[in-house]
């Protein structure tokens, strides 16, 4: 077994770009991010599965459909309310408003439209309903240390 391949508990450093259906860049991460492989906490499962067995220097492309990523767009998560029901500090386009229900479950909504009478809030993830292409470059693969696992809050 090659010790520089991505397998469970390896510390992996990578950069990535996300493209939409029109091949336009949605997100570009040039500052390397890291994760511990096989813990399923930081990456979409399909991406983590696609990285299995790869090594530093390799580049992969992973197509993520809504069901494998951020879900389908849910119209029921779009809420229109009277503008004066929302505190003034949240009355800005793209403002994120945290809500909690009676059970303590939290959800963030983004202000998408606003006028004198109504405000529209959208609780969908901004990538919901989109098919995405991730282009990933593996920069480093090594054994994870106790410190790495502690920082990542993994046992």
């Amino acid at each position: 077994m090659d010790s520089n391949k991505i397998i469970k508990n390896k510390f992996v450093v990578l950069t990535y770009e996300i493209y939409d259906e029109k091949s336009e860049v949605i997100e570009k991460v040039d500052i390397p991010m890291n994760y511990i492989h096989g813990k399923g906490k930081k990456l979409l499962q399909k991406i983590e599965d696609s990285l299995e067995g790869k090594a530093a220097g390799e580049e992969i492309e992973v197509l993520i459909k809504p069901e494998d990523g951020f879900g389908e767009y849910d119209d029921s998560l779009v809420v229109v309310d009277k503008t004066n029901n929302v505190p003034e500090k949240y009355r800005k386009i793209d403002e994120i408003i945290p809500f909690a229900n009676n059970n303590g479950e939290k959800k963030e909504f983004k202000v998408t439209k606003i006028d004198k009478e109504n405000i529209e809030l959208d609780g969908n993830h901004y990538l919901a309903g989109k098919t995405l292409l991730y282009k990933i470059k593996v920069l480093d693969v090594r054994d994870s240390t106790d410190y790495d696992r502690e920082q990542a809050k993994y046992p």
Side-chain angles (χ1 to χ4, degrees):
M1 182 182 339
D2 188 340
S3 64
N4 293 324
K5 298 275 185 191
I6 297 175
I7 58 172
K8 188 172 183 173
N9 292 322
K10 289 288 187 174
F11 184 88
V12 181
V13 181
L14 54 84
T15 57
Y16 65 90
E17 297 175 350
I18 304 173
Y19 294 82
D20 65 12
E21 297 95 337
K22 299 174 191 166
S23 298
E24 293 178 6
V25 176
I26 295 177
E27 189 173 309
K28 185 174 182 176
V29 176
D30 290 325
I31 297 172
M33 63 150 299
N34 59 65
Y35 78 102
I36 298 174
H37 192 74
K39 297 298 183 179
K41 300 248 182 192
K42 221 171 185 183
L43 300 178
L44 295 171
Q45 190 60 52
K46 187 171 181 182
I47 291 174
E48 194 162 334
D49 292 347
S50 298
L51 285 165
E52 183 85 22
K54 302 298 184 256
E58 288 192 62
E59 296 182 28
I60 65 168
E61 293 186 2
V62 184
L63 188 67
I64 300 292
K65 294 185 177 188
E67 62 269 20
D68 297 322
F70 302 94
E72 295 294 340
Y73 189 86
D74 184 351
D75 289 326
S76 72
L77 291 175
V78 178
V79 178
V80 177
D81 198 356
K82 296 292 181 197
T83 302
N84 59 7
N85 287 341
V86 176
E88 199 166 323
K89 70 179 183 175
Y90 294 121
R91 296 182 199 170
K92 295 177 229 138
I93 296 292
D94 294 332
E95 186 71 25
I96 303 296
I97 305 174
F99 285 92
N101 66 15
N102 293 335
N103 298 328
E105 298 165 331
K106 297 177 182 175
K107 180 96 180 127
E108 292 183 338
F109 284 75
K110 180 179 178 178
V111 176
T112 54
K113 293 181 188 171
I114 190 167
D115 60 36
K116 287 184 179 183
E117 303 225 355
N118 295 310
I119 188 167
E120 183 179 277
L121 310 172
D122 189 342
N124 286 287
H125 188 282
Y126 79 103
L127 296 176
K130 296 181 179 178
T131 297
L132 306 166
L133 179 65
Y134 279 73
K135 293 184 179 184
I136 303 166
K137 183 171 185 177
V138 180
L139 303 177
D140 191 24
V141 179
R142 63 170 171 78
D143 291 332
S144 63
T145 64
D146 289 341
Y147 177 79
D148 296 331
R149 290 185 294 280
E150 179 183 311
Q151 292 301 304
K153 298 185 179 17
Y154 298 138

